[in-house]
Amino acid sequence: MELNERKELAELLFPNIKHDRDYYEKMYPDRNLKEGAMVTRFGPSPTGFVHMGSLFGSFCDAVFAKQTDGVFYLRIEDTDQKRSVENGIEGIFNDLEAFNIVPDESSVVGGDYGPYIQSERTEIYQTYVKDLIEEGYAYPCFMSEEEIAQIREEQELSKIKIGIYGHYAVDRDLSLEEIKEKLCNKEEYVIRLKSPGNAENEIEVVDCIKGRMKFPEHDMDTVLLKKDGTPTYHLAHVIDDHLMHTTHVIRGDEWVASLPLHIQLFKILGFKIPKYAHTAPITKKDEGGIRKLSKRKDAEAKVSYYEEVGIPIEAVKLYLATILNSNFEEWYLNNSDKSIEEFTFTFDKMAIGGTLFDLDKLNNISKTYFSRKSGEEVYNETLEYAKKFDKDYALLLEKYEDDMIKFLSIEKDSDRPRKDISKYSDVKEEFSYAIDELFYKENYAKYDGGKQFSTSLIKKYVEDVLNLEATNEEWFNDIKEFAVENGYAASPKEYKKNPENYIGHVGDICEALRVMITGRDKSPDLFSIVKILGKSRVLERINRYENLTR
Ligand code: GLU
């Protein structure tokens, strides 16, 4: 077709386009950012929620934009109506907000490069496609689904590349007259790329994460606009990333295979190609193998899971930072007073293969996170959690506020604070002895069949010796002295030397006291617990223990 015919065709197909591409180029000028600033975007489909893979992606986007004083924007990619659900956009914003991942520009906060919802940009895509038609890089294709399925079958049988290319692209060279006739007959059509590529040529792309990659040139007549005039992902993202001035396209590596097409589209549209960073999928160990984390199979793939089980958002983000850059974890362990924002992330420290998502590791990171919080902070956050997910416990927490904060503060000021909590729901279990109602209800049940201790000696100790005003050293000396007076060795070492001389050692007395007042054989510093409970509650617990084990 000659240029004048192509022009006529373009008008015929897009009679209602109001502007030309210059209009949009002017409307979305270069961003005025400093050298090196990254413009990143998160492009979710409105499926109603964010899963771990896309949370990770948006976390990367936000981190890289922020640390370079760039822009991170959110673009809703709703070109595939099958993947859209009602209120799907709201769910995405809620999930991101819960993780404090806040785009600088979006359909909610606005921005100069909107609309930020692809379905509101149809006219823009069509404008560029109209231009491609004029230039001979696109054409209407009237092939029916049956015809395409038949071609596919044939290609599968002969084991050749699947798709519409070469002589399979039957409508590629229709004349203007033929097209007019089909349009007159109201035949349905899509707009396809008239690919200028040749698969015998090679193209090279340098990915920020995966490095140098080589591909055969794209040579398929891929669909650009669907029958209803809406764009495919391929076309839409290329036009949007150009007009919104994305500098770095960070996305899942399932898109690597389409990269030659995308590069071709950038070239024929005359756009500068952004940098690509393809992230490895989030995987998990399963039955000896490793597979992709699945929205369907894995509860932890849904980001709302963390809120429900009570893993703090910050801990999840620390974990994301850990899997984002392999050198983050060590840095965090050595910089206990710093926050994620103070670390400089780089692409070269990102995984090329799969990124293993390990809940145990996340729990460990969460324990470190909790260990660095003050007792009061842990109390406040746990109360917030309980108000939402465990109302009865919230009431108890409020009733025991002073005690709880004291319990949660035990051993906090040491160099190696305790790491006993990985989620808010652990507090109830780990500190059940802090609340009488829970302690008497749940803990005594656990004594059944356990090691039993004689209460008379412990009672004697509490009544005659225990001094709540003592220093730690005095308390321990007192208990040692008491042990010796009652036939126990002053240390396990001494006991081991001559076990026949003793009933046991001082540790046994501590253990008995610990079990009686906490219901557990391990606890934070015993004297601190005793001091918070006070003598009468300690005695009350010993008496109850006596009744229970009698
Ligand atoms: N809408 C695409 C998806 O949901 C986004 C891919 C991209 O970030 O370019 O997979």
Side-chain angles (χ1 to χ4, degrees):
M1 242 187 261
E2 297 298 315
L3 177 64
N4 59 341
E5 283 180 315
R6 295 199 303 260
K7 277 198 158 140
E8 191 182 334
L9 176 61
E11 274 314 315
L12 207 60
L13 295 175
F14 298 102
N16 300 321
I17 295 292
K18 290 192 283 290
H19 308 288
D20 60 6
R21 43 185 285 179
D22 285 348
Y23 170 87
Y24 292 110
E25 299 292 331
K26 279 203 196 84
M27 185 164 160
Y28 303 113
D30 273 351
R31 290 172 181 272
N32 202 359
L33 295 170
K34 70 168 209 209
E35 179 85 22
M38 291 188 196
V39 179
T40 60
R41 85 291 193 282
F42 174 47
S45 300
T47 50
F49 69 91
V50 174
H51 59 81
M52 212 51 205
S54 37
L55 184 72
F56 178 66
S58 58
F59 178 74
C60 298
D61 291 323
V63 154
F64 283 112
K66 199 163 197 149
Q67 74 182 21
T68 56
D69 291 329
V71 175
F72 159 51
Y73 68 88
L74 190 143
R75 181 172 75 217
I76 296 291
E77 305 209 331
D78 57 349
T79 56
D80 186 353
Q81 287 302 325
K82 283 190 266 15
R83 290 181 67 196
S84 304
V85 298
E86 212 182 319
N87 303 327
I89 299 182
E90 211 181 307
I92 287 171
F93 278 93
N94 289 344
D95 279 349
L96 288 185
E97 203 180 301
F99 283 82
N100 206 6
I101 295 178
V102 189
D104 301 311
E105 296 168 12
S106 70
S107 56
V108 170
V109 294
D112 292 340
Y113 293 82
Y116 294 89
I117 300 182
Q118 285 185 330
S119 57
E120 294 172 16
R121 300 172 66 82
T122 309
E123 169 129 4
I124 302 179
Y125 308 123
Q126 293 186 350
T127 305
Y128 283 85
V129 171
K130 185 176 175 194
D131 222 55
L132 287 180
I133 299 224
E134 270 187 39
E135 287 173 11
Y137 282 128
Y139 65 92
C141 168
F142 300 86
M143 289 166 96
S144 67
E145 268 154 40
E146 294 74 45
E147 262 176 284
I148 294 173
Q150 207 178 335
I151 289 177
R152 188 187 177 92
E153 214 171 288
E154 207 181 300
Q155 289 168 333
E156 273 168 358
L157 272 179
S158 4
K159 294 195 170 39
I160 55 170
K161 195 163 59 179
I162 311 284
I164 302 304
Y165 58 94
H167 71 273
Y168 297 108
V170 288
D171 287 356
R172 201 173 220 248
D173 296 311
L174 289 179
S175 68
L176 182 58
E177 285 320 304
E178 287 167 318
I179 294 175
K180 278 185 181 164
E181 200 181 311
K182 285 176 186 288
L183 292 177
C184 247
N185 294 339
K186 301 250 173 309
E187 283 186 43
E188 288 191 319
Y189 63 91
V190 297
I191 302 287
R192 281 186 190 274
L193 164 70
K194 193 169 189 174
S195 175
N198 176 349
E200 314 229 304
N201 299 338
E202 209 171 52
I203 61 158
E204 197 179 87
V205 188
V206 182
D207 185 271
C208 297
I209 300 170
K210 296 190 186 290
R212 208 168 287 279
M213 297 190 287
K214 287 189 170 144
F215 305 90
E217 217 168 64
H218 181 81
D219 68 346
M220 303 252 188
D221 286 2
T222 311
V223 176
L224 301 178
L225 290 182
K226 295 177 268 189
K227 280 182 189 156
D228 60 2
T230 61
T232 53
Y233 163 75
H234 309 299
L235 177 79
H237 103 272
V238 165
I239 293 178
D240 289 343
D241 284 330
H242 164 69
L243 292 177
M244 296 175 166
H245 299 276
T246 307
T247 62
H248 290 73
V249 173
I250 305 172
R251 63 180 181 186
D253 65 4
E254 66 274 20
W255 293 108
V256 165
S258 334
L259 200 49
L261 161 64
H262 300 160
I263 302 282
Q264 187 166 83
L265 288 175
F266 273 102
K267 283 189 179 151
I268 61 173
L269 283 159
F271 300 158
K272 179 168 179 248
I273 302 171
K275 293 209 164 66
Y276 278 95
H278 286 96
T279 58
I282 307 273
T283 56
K284 86 174 242 172
K285 281 202 187 109
D286 188 28
E287 289 166 8
I290 288 186
R291 60 164 175 81
K292 233 173 139 167
L293 192 69
S294 146
K295 280 176 272 179
R296 273 178 305 110
K297 289 191 214 148
D298 307 312
E300 73 271 30
K302 226 172 168 173
V303 301
S304 50
Y305 165 84
Y306 302 91
E307 196 195 357
E308 281 154 27
V309 300
I311 299 181
I313 299 294
E314 276 308 310
V316 178
K317 285 175 86 171
L318 284 170
Y319 183 60
L320 291 179
T322 306
I323 56 176
L324 173 57
N325 265 192
S326 50
N327 52 340
F328 176 81
E329 189 177 8
E330 204 189 321
W331 175 86
Y332 179 63
L333 288 173
N334 293 331
N335 292 280
S336 53
D337 52 333
K338 299 219 163 90
S339 66
I340 299 177
E341 285 72 33
E342 291 168 84
F343 180 82
T344 306
F345 291 92
T346 55
F347 287 119
D348 65 348
K349 291 281 190 286
M350 285 176 78
I352 296 178
T355 302
L356 195 64
F357 190 82
D358 181 351
L359 264 184
D360 291 339
K361 183 97 190 249
L362 169 53
N363 280 332
N364 272 334
I365 288 178
S366 191
K367 280 183 180 165
T368 307
Y369 166 85
F370 272 108
S371 74
R372 291 177 182 182
K373 291 258 152 185
S374 71
E376 193 164 358
E377 283 168 323
V378 176
Y379 171 83
N380 287 335
E381 290 176 23
T382 306
L383 180 61
E384 281 313 302
Y385 169 79
K387 278 184 181 165
K388 222 164 155 183
F389 296 102
D390 191 349
K391 296 214 165 57
D392 292 343
Y393 185 50
L395 293 175
L396 290 170
L397 278 174
E398 281 171 331
K399 176 173 168 193
Y400 285 84
E401 178 173 347
D402 290 347
D403 274 7
M404 262 329 273
I405 292 176
K406 284 187 205 150
F407 280 114
L408 289 166
S409 305
I410 298 176
E411 290 165 38
K412 275 287 181 195
D413 42 16
S414 86
D415 282 349
R416 300 187 58 189
R418 274 174 308 104
K419 293 191 176 177
D420 47 3
I421 303 166
S422 68
K423 42 190 186 307
Y424 298 119
S425 48
D426 290 346
V427 172
K428 187 174 180 182
E429 163 81 25
E430 286 291 318
F431 290 87
S432 55
Y433 53 83
I435 291 176
D436 289 339
E437 286 85 334
L438 289 183
F439 179 70
Y440 290 125
K441 193 168 124 219
E442 289 173 14
N443 280 76
Y444 277 169
K446 293 195 190 123
Y447 288 167
D448 291 352
K451 192 165 158 188
Q452 292 195 356
F453 300 93
S454 146
T455 47
S456 55
L457 185 73
I458 305 302
K459 248 203 267 188
K460 191 168 140 204
Y461 159 74
V462 174
E463 279 166 347
D464 302 347
V465 179
L466 175 64
N467 169 15
L468 297 180
E469 310 301 324
T471 62
N472 284 351
E473 209 184 317
E474 283 162 358
W475 127 277
F476 201 59
N477 282 338
D478 286 352
I479 210 166
K480 261 204 258 185
E481 212 168 281
F482 177 80
V484 174
E485 275 166 16
N486 288 279
Y488 286 75
S491 72
K493 211 165 144 196
E494 219 158 285
Y495 172 76
K496 265 192 207 136
K497 267 193 256 162
N498 297 302
E500 63 288 353
N501 291 353
Y502 304 106
I503 307 170
H505 60 78
V506 63
D508 297 329
I509 297 181
C510 292
E511 187 187 359
L513 177 61
R514 173 175 283 123
V515 167
M516 286 174 206
I517 66 170
T518 70
R520 340 179 104 232
D521 49 17
K522 282 197 189 67
S523 75
D525 178 56
L526 186 58
F527 187 39
S528 306
I529 296 178
V530 168
K531 279 191 285 188
I532 301 167
L533 287 176
K535 227 174 210 178
S536 63
R537 274 165 89 198
V538 167
L539 278 174
E540 160 87 12
R541 288 182 181 202
I542 298 172
N543 284 331
R544 294 245 204 156
Y545 179 83
E546 190 170 32
N547 291 338
L548 197 92
T549 52
R550 195 173 269 157

PDB file of all heavy atoms in Angstrom, residues 77-94:
ATOM      1  N   GLU A  77      -3.363  -1.751  35.314  1.00  0.00           N
ATOM      2  CA  GLU A  77      -3.321  -2.354  33.980  1.00  0.00           C
ATOM      3  C   GLU A  77      -4.542  -3.255  33.796  1.00  0.00           C
ATOM      4  O   GLU A  77      -4.510  -4.442  34.050  1.00  0.00           O
ATOM      5  CB  GLU A  77      -2.001  -3.103  33.794  1.00  0.00           C
ATOM      6  CG  GLU A  77      -0.823  -2.168  34.066  1.00  0.00           C
ATOM      7  CD  GLU A  77       0.449  -2.495  33.318  1.00  0.00           C
ATOM      8  OE1 GLU A  77       0.667  -3.668  33.014  1.00  0.00           O
ATOM      9  OE2 GLU A  77       1.214  -1.551  33.044  1.00  0.00           O
ATOM     10  N   ASP A  78      -5.624  -2.608  33.384  1.00  0.00           N
ATOM     11  CA  ASP A  78      -6.902  -3.319  33.299  1.00  0.00           C
ATOM     12  C   ASP A  78      -7.303  -3.571  31.856  1.00  0.00           C
ATOM     13  O   ASP A  78      -8.476  -3.513  31.512  1.00  0.00           O
ATOM     14  CB  ASP A  78      -7.991  -2.523  34.042  1.00  0.00           C
ATOM     15  CG  ASP A  78      -8.136  -1.105  33.501  1.00  0.00           C
ATOM     16  OD1 ASP A  78      -7.257  -0.679  32.711  1.00  0.00           O
ATOM     17  OD2 ASP A  78      -9.099  -0.422  33.859  1.00  0.00           O
ATOM     18  N   THR A  79      -6.310  -3.826  31.000  1.00  0.00           N
ATOM     19  CA  THR A  79      -6.656  -4.052  29.592  1.00  0.00           C
ATOM     20  C   THR A  79      -7.251  -5.436  29.390  1.00  0.00           C
ATOM     21  O   THR A  79      -7.900  -5.693  28.390  1.00  0.00           O
ATOM     22  CB  THR A  79      -5.422  -3.906  28.683  1.00  0.00           C
ATOM     23  OG1 THR A  79      -4.432  -4.809  29.151  1.00  0.00           O
ATOM     24  CG2 THR A  79      -4.887  -2.504  28.709  1.00  0.00           C
ATOM     25  N   ASP A  80      -7.002  -6.327  30.339  1.00  0.00           N
ATOM     26  CA  ASP A  80      -7.563  -7.664  30.230  1.00  0.00           C
ATOM     27  C   ASP A  80      -8.760  -7.766  31.173  1.00  0.00           C
ATOM     28  O   ASP A  80      -8.616  -7.993  32.364  1.00  0.00           O
ATOM     29  CB  ASP A  80      -6.490  -8.695  30.615  1.00  0.00           C
ATOM     30  CG  ASP A  80      -6.984 -10.112  30.381  1.00  0.00           C
ATOM     31  OD1 ASP A  80      -8.172 -10.287  30.048  1.00  0.00           O
ATOM     32  OD2 ASP A  80      -6.177 -11.043  30.531  1.00  0.00           O
ATOM     33  N   GLN A  81      -9.932  -7.560  30.600  1.00  0.00           N
ATOM     34  CA  GLN A  81     -11.134  -7.486  31.442  1.00  0.00           C
ATOM     35  C   GLN A  81     -11.380  -8.776  32.218  1.00  0.00           C
ATOM     36  O   GLN A  81     -11.948  -8.759  33.305  1.00  0.00           O
ATOM     37  CB  GLN A  81     -12.374  -7.127  30.607  1.00  0.00           C
ATOM     38  CG  GLN A  81     -12.402  -5.668  30.166  1.00  0.00           C
ATOM     39  CD  GLN A  81     -12.349  -4.686  31.331  1.00  0.00           C
ATOM     40  OE1 GLN A  81     -12.902  -4.938  32.380  1.00  0.00           O
ATOM     41  NE2 GLN A  81     -11.664  -3.559  31.158  1.00  0.00           N
ATOM     42  N   LYS A  82     -10.886  -9.893  31.683  1.00  0.00           N
ATOM     43  CA  LYS A  82     -11.113 -11.174  32.374  1.00  0.00           C
ATOM     44  C   LYS A  82     -10.438 -11.189  33.735  1.00  0.00           C
ATOM     45  O   LYS A  82     -10.844 -11.893  34.635  1.00  0.00           O
ATOM     46  CB  LYS A  82     -10.553 -12.326  31.515  1.00  0.00           C
ATOM     47  CG  LYS A  82     -11.457 -12.684  30.346  1.00  0.00           C
ATOM     48  CD  LYS A  82     -10.990 -13.963  29.700  1.00  0.00           C
ATOM     49  CE  LYS A  82     -10.110 -13.805  28.600  1.00  0.00           C
ATOM     50  NZ  LYS A  82      -9.334 -13.462  27.735  1.00  0.00           N
ATOM     51  N   ARG A  83      -9.348 -10.427  33.862  1.00  0.00           N
ATOM     52  CA  ARG A  83      -8.610 -10.434  35.125  1.00  0.00           C
ATOM     53  C   ARG A  83      -9.079  -9.355  36.098  1.00  0.00           C
ATOM     54  O   ARG A  83      -8.549  -9.216  37.194  1.00  0.00           O
ATOM     55  CB  ARG A  83      -7.120 -10.253  34.858  1.00  0.00           C
ATOM     56  CG  ARG A  83      -6.498 -11.465  34.184  1.00  0.00           C
ATOM     57  CD  ARG A  83      -5.029 -11.277  33.957  1.00  0.00           C
ATOM     58  NE  ARG A  83      -4.279 -11.231  35.211  1.00  0.00           N
ATOM     59  CZ  ARG A  83      -3.026 -10.779  35.295  1.00  0.00           C
ATOM     60  NH1 ARG A  83      -2.415 -10.338  34.240  1.00  0.00           N
ATOM     61  NH2 ARG A  83      -2.400 -10.777  36.453  1.00  0.00           N
ATOM     62  N   SER A  84     -10.076  -8.573  35.681  1.00  0.00           N
ATOM     63  CA  SER A  84     -10.531  -7.497  36.551  1.00  0.00           C
ATOM     64  C   SER A  84     -11.685  -7.965  37.432  1.00  0.00           C
ATOM     65  O   SER A  84     -12.541  -8.700  36.982  1.00  0.00           O
ATOM     66  CB  SER A  84     -11.009  -6.318  35.714  1.00  0.00           C
ATOM     67  OG  SER A  84      -9.991  -5.891  34.851  1.00  0.00           O
ATOM     68  N   VAL A  85     -11.700  -7.544  38.664  1.00  0.00           N
ATOM     69  CA  VAL A  85     -12.851  -7.837  39.508  1.00  0.00           C
ATOM     70  C   VAL A  85     -13.411  -6.514  40.024  1.00  0.00           C
ATOM     71  O   VAL A  85     -12.720  -5.499  40.017  1.00  0.00           O
ATOM     72  CB  VAL A  85     -12.475  -8.732  40.725  1.00  0.00           C
ATOM     73  CG1 VAL A  85     -11.955 -10.074  40.281  1.00  0.00           C
ATOM     74  CG2 VAL A  85     -11.474  -8.041  41.629  1.00  0.00           C
ATOM     75  N   GLU A  86     -14.645  -6.597  40.490  1.00  0.00           N
ATOM     76  CA  GLU A  86     -15.276  -5.386  41.014  1.00  0.00           C
ATOM     77  C   GLU A  86     -14.510  -4.917  42.257  1.00  0.00           C
ATOM     78  O   GLU A  86     -14.074  -5.734  43.070  1.00  0.00           O
ATOM     79  CB  GLU A  86     -16.720  -5.711  41.386  1.00  0.00           C
ATOM     80  CG  GLU A  86     -17.635  -4.528  41.185  1.00  0.00           C
ATOM     81  CD  GLU A  86     -19.054  -4.845  41.598  1.00  0.00           C
ATOM     82  OE1 GLU A  86     -19.506  -5.969  41.282  1.00  0.00           O
ATOM     83  OE2 GLU A  86     -19.654  -4.007  42.245  1.00  0.00           O
ATOM     84  N   ASN A  87     -14.341  -3.650  42.424  1.00  0.00           N
ATOM     85  CA  ASN A  87     -13.566  -3.069  43.524  1.00  0.00           C
ATOM     86  C   ASN A  87     -12.125  -3.572  43.570  1.00  0.00           C
ATOM     87  O   ASN A  87     -11.464  -3.532  44.597  1.00  0.00           O
ATOM     88  CB  ASN A  87     -14.209  -3.344  44.887  1.00  0.00           C
ATOM     89  CG  ASN A  87     -15.630  -2.843  44.951  1.00  0.00           C
ATOM     90  OD1 ASN A  87     -15.946  -1.821  44.325  1.00  0.00           O
ATOM     91  ND2 ASN A  87     -16.480  -3.546  45.653  1.00  0.00           N
ATOM     92  N   GLY A  88     -11.655  -4.075  42.436  1.00  0.00           N
ATOM     93  CA  GLY A  88     -10.302  -4.640  42.399  1.00  0.00           C
ATOM     94  C   GLY A  88      -9.211  -3.610  42.650  1.00  0.00           C
ATOM     95  O   GLY A  88      -8.151  -3.934  43.170  1.00  0.00           O
ATOM     96  N   ILE A  89      -9.482  -2.377  42.273  1.00  0.00           N
ATOM     97  CA  ILE A  89      -8.453  -1.347  42.433  1.00  0.00           C
ATOM     98  C   ILE A  89      -8.304  -0.999  43.907  1.00  0.00           C
ATOM     99  O   ILE A  89      -7.201  -0.896  44.436  1.00  0.00           O
ATOM    100  CB  ILE A  89      -8.824  -0.094  41.604  1.00  0.00           C
ATOM    101  CG1 ILE A  89      -8.912  -0.485  40.120  1.00  0.00           C
ATOM    102  CG2 ILE A  89      -7.824   1.010  41.821  1.00  0.00           C
ATOM    103  CD1 ILE A  89      -9.227   0.638  39.167  1.00  0.00           C
ATOM    104  N   GLU A  90      -9.433  -0.885  44.570  1.00  0.00           N
ATOM    105  CA  GLU A  90      -9.434  -0.511  45.990  1.00  0.00           C
ATOM    106  C   GLU A  90      -8.601  -1.505  46.809  1.00  0.00           C
ATOM    107  O   GLU A  90      -7.795  -1.122  47.653  1.00  0.00           O
ATOM    108  CB  GLU A  90     -10.879  -0.544  46.460  1.00  0.00           C
ATOM    109  CG  GLU A  90     -11.201   0.434  47.543  1.00  0.00           C
ATOM    110  CD  GLU A  90     -12.664   0.272  47.922  1.00  0.00           C
ATOM    111  OE1 GLU A  90     -13.515   0.316  47.013  1.00  0.00           O
ATOM    112  OE2 GLU A  90     -12.912   0.061  49.122  1.00  0.00           O
ATOM    113  N   GLY A  91      -8.814  -2.800  46.521  1.00  0.00           N
ATOM    114  CA  GLY A  91      -8.089  -3.837  47.255  1.00  0.00           C
ATOM    115  C   GLY A  91      -6.588  -3.689  47.114  1.00  0.00           C
ATOM    116  O   GLY A  91      -5.841  -3.881  48.072  1.00  0.00           O
ATOM    117  N   ILE A  92      -6.156  -3.308  45.931  1.00  0.00           N
ATOM    118  CA  ILE A  92      -4.711  -3.154  45.699  1.00  0.00           C
ATOM    119  C   ILE A  92      -4.160  -1.994  46.527  1.00  0.00           C
ATOM    120  O   ILE A  92      -3.140  -2.126  47.194  1.00  0.00           O
ATOM    121  CB  ILE A  92      -4.443  -2.932  44.202  1.00  0.00           C
ATOM    122  CG1 ILE A  92      -4.671  -4.266  43.490  1.00  0.00           C
ATOM    123  CG2 ILE A  92      -3.034  -2.419  43.951  1.00  0.00           C
ATOM    124  CD1 ILE A  92      -4.666  -4.202  42.009  1.00  0.00           C
ATOM    125  N   PHE A  93      -4.880  -0.887  46.494  1.00  0.00           N
ATOM    126  CA  PHE A  93      -4.415   0.258  47.276  1.00  0.00           C
ATOM    127  C   PHE A  93      -4.397  -0.063  48.768  1.00  0.00           C
ATOM    128  O   PHE A  93      -3.474   0.324  49.481  1.00  0.00           O
ATOM    129  CB  PHE A  93      -5.269   1.500  46.986  1.00  0.00           C
ATOM    130  CG  PHE A  93      -4.832   2.212  45.737  1.00  0.00           C
ATOM    131  CD1 PHE A  93      -5.417   1.933  44.515  1.00  0.00           C
ATOM    132  CD2 PHE A  93      -3.808   3.131  45.774  1.00  0.00           C
ATOM    133  CE1 PHE A  93      -4.995   2.557  43.351  1.00  0.00           C
ATOM    134  CE2 PHE A  93      -3.371   3.778  44.626  1.00  0.00           C
ATOM    135  CZ  PHE A  93      -3.975   3.484  43.409  1.00  0.00           C
ATOM    136  N   ASN A  94      -5.417  -0.784  49.233  1.00  0.00           N
ATOM    137  CA  ASN A  94      -5.454  -1.130  50.663  1.00  0.00           C
ATOM    138  C   ASN A  94      -4.268  -1.981  51.055  1.00  0.00           C
ATOM    139  O   ASN A  94      -3.625  -1.748  52.080  1.00  0.00           O
ATOM    140  CB  ASN A  94      -6.736  -1.896  51.002  1.00  0.00           C
ATOM    141  CG  ASN A  94      -7.942  -0.990  50.956  1.00  0.00           C
ATOM    142  OD1 ASN A  94      -7.793   0.240  50.960  1.00  0.00           O
ATOM    143  ND2 ASN A  94      -9.133  -1.568  50.891  1.00  0.00           N
TER     144      ASN A  94
END
